[in-house]
Amino acid sequence: MVHGETRYARSGSVSVAYQVVGTGPTDLVLVPGFVSHLEVAWEQPQLARFLGRLAAFSRLLVFDKRGTGMSDPVARPPTMSERMDDIRAVMDAAGSSRATVFGISEGGTLSLLFAQAHPERAAALILYGSWARRLAAPDYPYGPSAAELEDVLAGMDRAWATGAWWDVGRASAADDAHHRAWWARYLRMAASPAMAQEVIRTNMRMDVRAMLPLIVQPTLILHRTGDTWIDVGHARYLAEHIPAARYVELPGTEHRPWLGDVDAIADEIEVFVTGRKSRPRRRSSIGAEALSRREREVALLASRGETAVEIAGHLYLSKRTVESHLVSVYRKLGINSKTELVRRAAEFGI
């Protein structure tokens, strides 16, 4: 899968891994959720397609927060000030003086803090699946109690083996066996279970409600109505208390934005960032989504070990036509051989 070159920015004594993808006129900084891994992310076709949509209309800056992914490990969960400085460091290293900051889940809360602390750097905000306070309180009925969230954390280790933790027992069709296998590997590469648990415990202590009226940037708030991890009430609260907020509630239950209707999310972001939606939308030129129906048929048979001659017989094509399709399949999937296609077929959803 094609992605940007991984580089490093300095935030104090810490090296923060980042990539720049796309050449659009507007800088868009993506602040990830609790853990991430820049390069493993691109191995997942749906996530790669989501990132590709964003990079099609922006100069997209993506990074791993300190202590996660390809950034330096740390001995303790970083403070919010340290995490905010990671955003600043990445923007400086990428030559971005001002950008739209797009935060996913806890990345949205961090984006709010960054925008309030550095209004000259944040031109606008996009919050997806985010919150101002993680836990329920007498004056805040959204989210779990501390005990309920600790119960989830107690069983969190199994996600690093099976990928089954995130949905808290409520699986969706999009989160199939192939995706769960990748998700488990992504978590293992992104952070240790102990570090991830401590990050979530840090989030449990956060409450930024008092600063919401101070946010001056135009803010797009996106949330799926049935989100099974972050209750939609969190987003509605944000929308009611941020002065320049535009709220879009989308159908669906998946918290992870690359599962479900990716285009619904990407379209809203594109309109917010550029003022318009591309018409017609260009078909992706890379990844499994770029394969034509015939290319997908050829790829499926090839992934089962069939030769070009056998595929030609099944599909009533010439051997040369099959070979041409295979060349196109390899190019779009970013692979070099049939052996690699067979090995990675599940990853590509073939």
Side-chain angles (χ1 to χ4, degrees):
M1 187 62 65
V2 176
H3 56 76
E5 176 186 354
T6 300
R7 301 176 181 177
Y8 284 87
R10 295 292 292 182
S11 178
S13 61
V14 175
S15 294
V16 179
Y18 75 97
Q19 295 176 354
V20 179
V21 190
T23 58
T26 301
D27 285 354
L28 179 64
V29 180
L30 194 160
V31 184
F34 77 132
V35 297
S36 64
H37 192 288
L38 283 175
E39 295 187 355
V40 178
W42 290 97
E43 296 175 4
Q44 214 297 314
Q46 293 119 303
L47 178 49
R49 181 170 180 270
F50 178 61
L51 296 174
R53 278 293 316 271
L54 301 179
F57 56 81
S58 72
R59 191 172 77 112
L60 178 66
L61 281 61
V62 291
F63 70 99
D64 290 331
K65 289 175 286 193
R66 64 178 66 201
T68 68
M70 302 178 73
S71 293
D72 277 349
V74 293
R76 55 166 177 77
T79 66
M80 282 298 158
S81 293
E82 290 170 332
R83 290 183 179 186
M84 281 195 288
D85 196 61
D86 291 348
I87 300 175
R88 189 274 315 159
V90 167
M91 290 180 66
D92 285 352
S96 177
S97 60
R98 192 165 166 82
T100 295
V101 183
F102 171 27
I104 295 174
S105 198
E106 76 147 36
T109 313
L110 179 56
S111 299
L112 285 166
L113 291 168
F114 180 81
Q116 200 274 329
H118 303 283
E120 76 285 357
R121 305 299 296 271
L125 287 172
I126 302 170
L127 312 176
Y128 170 83
S130 196
W131 40 269
R133 177 188 168 92
R134 187 65 181 91
L135 299 180
D139 61 344
Y140 190 79
Y142 317 112
S145 67
E148 288 169 337
L149 196 51
E150 280 292 345
D151 285 344
V152 174
L153 295 182
M156 192 174 178
D157 286 9
R158 68 176 177 269
W160 270 246
T162 67
W165 165 77
W166 189 265
D167 58 23
V168 199
R170 289 170 283 190
S172 75
D175 191 18
D176 60 16
H178 296 318
H179 183 267
R180 284 175 178 243
W182 167 83
W183 179 243
R185 178 169 176 268
Y186 181 79
L187 292 175
R188 291 193 296 269
M189 297 296 287
S192 69
M195 176 58 75
Q197 288 168 332
E198 288 308 309
V199 167
I200 292 177
R201 288 191 177 98
T202 297
N203 293 341
M204 289 167 63
R205 297 189 288 270
M206 291 182 63
D207 187 342
V208 302
R209 289 179 293 170
M211 62 167 286
L212 297 182
L214 306 178
I215 297 297
V216 298
Q217 292 86 351
T219 302
L220 174 64
I221 300 170
L222 302 170
H223 210 102
R224 286 174 172 154
T225 304
D227 189 323
T228 58
W229 181 239
I230 303 297
D231 186 273
V232 70
H234 291 286
R236 294 170 182 169
Y237 184 93
L238 289 170
E240 290 170 2
H241 291 84
I242 295 176
R246 176 174 179 263
Y247 179 52
V248 179
E249 194 167 300
L250 301 165
T253 61
E254 274 291 348
H255 180 63
R256 290 161 289 189
W258 60 88
L259 296 180
D261 190 350
V262 169
D263 288 324
I265 296 172
D267 286 348
E268 293 291 345
I269 295 173
E270 182 176 6
V271 170
F272 181 73
V273 170
T274 69
R276 61 183 177 81
K277 186 173 76 171
S278 301
R279 293 183 182 276
R281 182 184 305 138
R282 295 171 58 190
R283 184 187 181 104
S284 174
S285 61
I286 59 173
E289 293 291 331
L291 299 179
S292 68
R293 180 182 60 82
R294 181 62 83 187
E295 287 169 346
R296 186 173 285 276
E297 291 172 343
V298 170
L300 175 62
L301 295 174
S303 72
R304 294 173 178 172
E306 295 197 11
T307 66
V309 171
E310 291 169 333
I311 295 171
H314 277 123
L315 300 180
Y316 302 100
L317 301 172
S318 70
K319 177 175 176 285
R320 170 169 281 189
T321 298
V322 170
E323 290 171 341
S324 295
H325 282 314
L326 285 172
V327 169
S328 180
V329 167
Y330 297 161
R331 175 180 59 79
K332 290 179 179 180
L333 296 182
I335 60 177
N336 298 310
S337 67
K338 180 179 173 182
T339 300
E340 191 173 1
L341 174 63
V342 172
R343 179 171 59 84
R344 298 178 61 188
E347 174 189 324
F348 295 128
I350 294 173

